[in-house]
């Protein structure tokens, strides 16, 4: 029968599957048209009994506030936000419709909306797609009314292991709450809940604490202990992650300094302002490419390297070059430049913070477990930090430029005698360190406010990281930054953010008085002069 | 004995020492001892037996005394008299003198010992807070909340009683003692381990900056008991005399001038003495001084502590004239600003520091009121210009001109 598929296609065109096949009594339709939200009962009753997809769509539209009634002829139609095509109810015919002033929204009371959502969700529990099913099961967690029969029937038909585990946990929760549960049931439930990550599990178990049956009481205690350990571990992991994240920011801001100060020995107090320039590059790039923050951010990373790098090269050529061998003077001159740059940004752009958009891929969370999730932007910045570090490390140790830089740093006259253009190397090194500072700024623009004072807040920290790690090597800066970030976040819960910072600074000051050369002191002849 | 400067490489300097005279040619072959230009004549006087009141010192003290006397007299003229100085102006001048004293204390250790402290504002701030505490206690029941025992901010924070470190702050003599003791002890506690482990040069500068930064964060906290963000303010009187009265304003100004004069004489005494020679030896060739047998760390520590006491004194005199002290005095920028005052005036001269402080702060007052946007540009440019073009500062200009003149004369003499 070759005509049969064609006929099916024809039929499906005639009555679109989305809202087709829906039949509502006139009474139900009138209840939807009514201006009073309390009149919806007949329609809700009929739709709740209807297993069709069309009924589900109508209910969903009702809950989402996308169901409208036309003021002129009383037609009911579903109009999604932003769409210019409406679906007629019932019947499912689609028609272009843009004039929303003709429409009145069909409202629904909050209590009915909750009930309807539960009904809709229950339909999804038997959806063919395992991911949809899992989502539905997971949203059951707070649904105290989830009945045992339903869960048991679901469990029977379920093959997906994770969904089964979740269903078993929900059953265990019901069992623990059930006053009539037997001892064996309770014991099994406690064991299941001990490994569960349901938000209400701890509360439900705590209600059973000191149960008259010693075996049950013991099992409950054990389960509660396991839950607490998991929660503590998640909190610990979170602290560690935040510590690493802060550490990565510190490393990013100080790695350029590790090149200019650590390797070249130039004190650049304008380093923070180079970071600021990088952050403003992101802002500028987003102004150039409005509406595409992701592309702008990706383009801004190399751009910020170029902007800050050329600013650094200019700085080296015009000022720092004339002050080599006079570190204290370099410090003062670059401090002056940092003031000029700050004020320039204030005057030319604005004294206020600029809003930098976060592209979609930077926002959002990574859920590792139910108790532990990571913010995406911090994960990316951690990865970015490691990438930049690897890049700089490779540049310093695997390329010709790096070789020349190290040669000039170790013994300038001999390096020059061997044909290295030392002054060119100086400029390039300084530009490299400054460019990395700019890239750090690009990353920071995703975490903090972009304003004229951005650099100021990092300059003391960056110098501390470099000196703490040991001047003259890059891995010291990496270790130093991560250690300081971790220490800061580990201290914070006990002492508060401000005090943690003060304690850490004090500890660093004391550390440097005992070991002025830092964690990884330079050794050998180069360290002596 | 000729005051030859010994060309020794500075610790951490990447270049070995080379003979002087390469400056200006864009090379980096600079001995770089304490970062002064080697081409400039050393600021050392000729002989070992230097007079405390040599000519510049006498001229400076004369100028200071004359100005102070003039201002004092003019400020006490009856209102409406043509030369009468307003109380506001006198307070402002007094504030400049306090900054000058702070700059003097920085010059003592930077110019003569080569120790660049980027955190001298910390000692200034400690002295300021000690004096502010006394002024706070003197408000007594005249505060907004009328609590005779507790300062307003403590009442506001619902504190029950004074913290222990506020005890005795109502006593004037005890406060005067603390003004010297607190910064001195702080400098001792910080300086002793630092100098012992030979933290020097840039590292010392960075650590001092971290110290003042940490103090700033700490004083921002309300829990510290120093008024947090707002600091201590709303003072009424000192020794029972209103801070607004002409006599008090003039008295404070004279006290500042006197303190500056005495501190200057004391510094001159130290610098002209044998100890002063050791200072310069440590600055120019630390290792040699150590090998000869001087306990370099003790010399540095003594100078550092004395300098901190002077800075604390400056802070203590600053507060009643300005009427407020807040954590801003611990801001790293404030300290660096004072350092650039010294650099502008000319290091290693003492009077240069005073000159620089006056010039910079008068410029600051002018710019922040007339052209606030330009001030940071000006200050930043000052940093760059002074370090690049005026390594000896304003006070060095006559010497440089004199030197050039002499060279010119010698040259023409040869030609003739």
């Amino acid at each position: 029968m070759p005509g049969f598929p064609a006929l099916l296609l024809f039929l499906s065109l005639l009555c679109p599957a989305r809202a087709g096949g829906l039949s509502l009594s006139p009474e139900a339709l009138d209840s939807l048209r009514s201006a009073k939200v309390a009149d919806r009962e007949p329609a809700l009753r009929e739709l709740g009994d209807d297993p069709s997809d069309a009924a589900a769509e109508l209910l969903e539209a009702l809950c989402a506030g996308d169901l409208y009634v036309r003021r002129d002829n009383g037609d009911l139609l579903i109009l999604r936000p932003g769409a210019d095509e409406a679906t007629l109810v019932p019947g499912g015919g689609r028609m272009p419709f843009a004039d929303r002033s003709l429409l009145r929204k069909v409202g629904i009371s909050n209590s009915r909306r909750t009930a309807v959502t539960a009904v809709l969700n229950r339909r999804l529990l038997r959806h063919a797609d395992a991911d949809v099913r899992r989502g539905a099961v997971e949203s059951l967690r707070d649904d105290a009314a989830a009945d045992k029969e339903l869960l048991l029937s679901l469990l029977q038909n379920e093959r997906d292991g994770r969904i089964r585990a979740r269903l078993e946990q929900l059953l265990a929760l019901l069992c623990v709450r059930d006053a009539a549960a037997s001892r064996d049931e309770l014991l099994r439930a406690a064991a299941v809940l001990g490994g569960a990550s349901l938000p209400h599990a701890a509360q439900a178990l705590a209600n059973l604490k000191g149960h008259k049956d010693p075996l049950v009481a013991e099992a409950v205690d054990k389960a509660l202990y396991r839950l607490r350990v998991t929660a503590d571990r998640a909190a610990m992991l979170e602290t560690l992650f935040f510590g690493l994240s802060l550490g990565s920011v510190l490393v990013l801001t100080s790695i350029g300094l590790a090149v200019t100060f650590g390797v070249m020995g130039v004190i650049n107090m304008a380093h923070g302002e180079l970071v600021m320039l990088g952050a403003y590059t992101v802002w500028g790039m987003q102004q150039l490419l409005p509406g595409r923050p992701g592309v702008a951010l990706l383009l801004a990373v190399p751009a910020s390297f170029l902007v800050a790098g050329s600013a650094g090269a200019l700085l080296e050529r015009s000022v720092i070059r004339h002050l080599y061998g006079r570190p204290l003077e370099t410090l003062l001159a670059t401090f002056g430049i940092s003031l000029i740059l700050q004020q320039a940004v204030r005057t030319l752009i604005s004294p206020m913070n600029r809003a930098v958009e976060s592209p979609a891929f930077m926002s959002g969370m990574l859920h590792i477990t139910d108790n532990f999730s990571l913010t995406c932007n911090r994960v990316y910045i951690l990865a970015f930090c490691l990438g930049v570090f690897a890049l700089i490390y490779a540049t310093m140790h695997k390329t010709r430029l790096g070789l020349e830089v190290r040669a000039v740093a170790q013994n300038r006259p001999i390096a020059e005698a061997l044909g290295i253009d030392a002054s060119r190397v100086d400029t390039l090194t300084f530009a490299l360190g400054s460019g990395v500072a700019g890239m750090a700024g690009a990353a920071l623009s995703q975490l903090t406010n972009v304003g004229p004072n951005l650099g100021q807040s990092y300059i003391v920290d960056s110098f501390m990281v470099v000196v703490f790690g040991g001047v003259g090597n890059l891995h010291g800066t990496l270790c130093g930054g991560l250690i300081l970030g971790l220490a800061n976040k580990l201290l914070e819960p006990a002492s508060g953010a401000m005090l943690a910072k003060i304690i850490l600074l004090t500890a660093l000051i004391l550390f440097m008085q005992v070991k002025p050369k830092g964690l990884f002191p330079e050794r050998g002849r180069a360290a002596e002069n | 004995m000729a005051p030859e400067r010994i060309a020794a490489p500075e610790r951490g300097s990447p270049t070995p020492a080379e003979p002087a005279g390469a400056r200006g040619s864009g090379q980096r072959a600079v001995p770089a001892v304490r970062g002064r230009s080697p081409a400039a004549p050393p600021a050392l006087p000729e002989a070992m037996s230097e007079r405390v009141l040599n000519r510049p010192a006498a001229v400076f003290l004369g100028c200071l005394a004359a100005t102070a006397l003039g201002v004092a007299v003019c400020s006490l003229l009856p209102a409406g008299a043509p030369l009468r100085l307003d109380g506001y102006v006198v307070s402002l001048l007094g504030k400049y003198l306090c900054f000058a004293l702070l700059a003097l204390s920085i010059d003592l250790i930077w110019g003569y010992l080569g120790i660049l402290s980027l955190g001298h504002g910390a000692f200034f701030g400690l002295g300021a807070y000690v004096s502010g505490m006394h002024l706070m206690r003197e408000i007594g029941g005249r505060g907004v909340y009328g609590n005779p025992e507790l300062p307003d901010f403590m009442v506001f924070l619902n504190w029950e009683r004074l913290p222990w470190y506020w005890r005795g702050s109502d006593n004037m003599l005890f406060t005067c003692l603390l003004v010297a003791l607190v910064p001195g002890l702080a400098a001792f506690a910080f300086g002793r381990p630092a100098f012992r482990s030979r933290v020097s040069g840039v590292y010392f500068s960075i650590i001092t900056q971290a110290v003042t930064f940490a103090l700033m964060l700490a004083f921002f906290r309300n829990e510290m008991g120093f008024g947090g963000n707002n600091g201590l303010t709303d003072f009424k009187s000192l020794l029972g005399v209103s801070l607004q009265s002409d006599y008090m304003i003039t008295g404070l100004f004279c006290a500042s001038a006197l303190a500056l004069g005495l501190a200057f004489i004391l510094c001159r005494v130290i610098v002209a003495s044998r100890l002063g020679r050791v200072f310069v030896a440590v600055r120019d060739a630390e290792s040699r001084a150590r090998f000869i047998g001087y306990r370099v760390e003790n010399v540095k520590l003594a100078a550092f502590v004395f300098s901190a006491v002077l800075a604390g004194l400056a802070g203590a005199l600053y507060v009643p004239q300005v009427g407020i002290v807040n954590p801003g005095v611990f801001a790293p920028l404030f300290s660096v600003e004072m350092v650039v005052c010294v650099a502008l005036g000319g290091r290693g001269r003492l009077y240069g520091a005073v000159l620089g402080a006056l010039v910079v702060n008068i410029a600051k007052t002018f710019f922040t009121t007339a052209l606030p946007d330009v001030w940071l540009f000006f200050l930043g440019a000052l940093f760059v210009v002074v370090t690049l073009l005026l390594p000896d500062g304003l006070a060095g200009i006559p010497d440089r001109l004199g030197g050039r003149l002499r060279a010119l004369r010698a040259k023409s003499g040869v030609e003739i």
Side-chain angles (χ1 to χ4, degrees), chain B residues 386-399:
Chain B
V386 165
T387 46
L388 281 181
L389 305 177
L390 276 178
D392 280 324
L394 293 177
I397 291 177
D399 284 3

Side-chain angles (χ1 to χ4, degrees), chain B residues 71 84-96 249 253:
Chain B
V71 169
R84 183 185 144 88
L85 279 175
D86 193 45
Y88 166 74
V89 178
V90 180
S91 287
L92 198 63
L93 292 175
K95 188 176 93 173
Y96 293 158
I249 290 174
F253 171 81

Side-chain angles (χ1 to χ4, degrees), chain A residues 137-156:
Chain A
V137 170
E138 271 175 25
S139 65
L140 266 183
R141 62 165 71 155
D142 294 323
D143 188 9
D147 57 296
K148 206 165 173 177
E149 307 307 319
L150 173 71
L151 290 176
L152 280 172
S153 73
L154 283 175
L155 192 58
Q156 238 164 21

Side-chain angles (χ1 to χ4, degrees), chain A residues 267 324-325 329 332 412 426 513, chain B residues 28 32 35 190 193 197 202 383:
Chain A
I267 314 294
Y324 278 124
E329 252 113 337
L332 290 180
R412 190 178 188 90
D426 286 336
Q513 297 195 330
Chain B
R28 51 172 63 193
F190 169 74
S197 49
V202 182
F383 277 89

Side-chain angles (χ1 to χ4, degrees), chain A residues 41-337:
Chain A
E41 282 312 313
L44 289 178
R45 216 176 308 121
E46 275 185 37
L47 286 168
D49 294 340
D50 189 339
S52 71
D53 283 347
E57 192 188 357
L58 182 54
L59 282 174
E60 194 268 323
L62 182 57
C63 283
D66 293 338
L67 182 65
Y68 294 89
V69 58
R70 273 183 74 152
R71 288 179 208 274
D72 46 354
N73 58 11
D75 276 355
L76 285 165
L77 39 85
I78 297 171
L79 185 58
R80 298 297 178 186
D84 47 7
E85 244 192 356
T87 311
L88 270 174
V89 177
R94 295 174 73 80
M95 53 184 257
F97 198 91
D99 186 9
R100 286 178 187 248
S101 64
L102 270 179
L103 301 178
R104 179 171 55 75
K105 190 177 274 187
V106 178
I108 182 170
S109 69
N110 274 333
S111 61
R112 297 317 293 163
R113 179 180 288 127
T114 320
V116 172
T117 315
V119 169
L120 281 173
N121 190 39
R122 206 162 283 191
R123 299 169 67 101
L124 294 180
L125 286 172
R126 300 184 195 279
H127 200 275
D129 186 354
D131 283 336
V132 176
R133 272 205 316 276
R134 182 151 64 235
V137 170
E138 271 175 25
S139 65
L140 266 183
R141 62 165 71 155
D142 294 323
D143 188 9
D147 57 296
K148 206 165 173 177
E149 307 307 319
L150 173 71
L151 290 176
L152 280 172
S153 73
L154 283 175
L155 192 58
Q156 238 164 21
N157 299 327
E158 189 55 66
R159 296 187 186 282
D160 187 293
R162 284 170 68 180
I163 301 179
R164 284 188 70 89
R166 171 67 72 167
L167 286 171
E168 274 163 10
Q169 287 169 8
L170 285 171
L171 274 171
L173 190 61
L174 280 181
C175 169
V176 165
R177 280 173 177 161
D178 184 3
S182 72
R183 170 207 264 187
D184 283 349
E185 279 173 336
L186 280 177
L187 285 179
R188 209 175 317 120
V192 170
L193 284 184
S197 47
L198 292 171
H200 296 299
Q203 188 52 48
L205 281 171
N207 288 340
L208 277 188
K209 232 174 152 200
H211 195 268
K212 54 187 185 297
D213 189 330
L215 269 176
V216 173
E218 195 192 341
V220 164
D221 281 346
K222 214 181 271 176
L224 277 173
Y225 176 74
R226 270 177 70 194
L227 280 180
R228 207 172 56 234
V229 168
T230 343
D232 283 356
R233 205 171 291 158
M236 190 68 200
L237 280 177
E238 202 168 76
T239 310
L240 281 181
F241 171 67
F242 275 120
L244 280 179
S245 168
L246 177 66
S248 70
V249 169
L250 285 176
V251 171
L252 264 178
T253 52
S254 44
I255 197 157
L257 208 61
V259 174
T260 52
F261 176 45
V263 179
M264 287 176 81
V266 170
I267 314 294
N268 182 14
M269 295 300 270
H271 181 80
E273 276 58 41
L274 295 170
V275 173
M276 175 194 76
L277 280 187
Y280 270 97
T281 310
V282 178
W283 174 76
M285 201 54 105
Q286 289 191 348
Q287 299 306 107
L288 287 180
L289 295 168
R292 300 164 78 186
V295 182
L297 181 64
L298 291 181
L299 282 180
V301 171
S304 59
F305 181 87
L306 290 179
V307 168
S310 35
L314 194 71
L315 184 62
E316 202 273 347
R317 286 270 159 175
S318 57
V319 176
I320 293 171
R321 156 142 319 199
H322 308 290
L323 296 169
Y324 278 124
R326 296 194 278 160
L328 298 182
E329 252 113 337
T330 317
L331 193 157
L332 290 180
T334 48
F335 200 98
I337 287 163

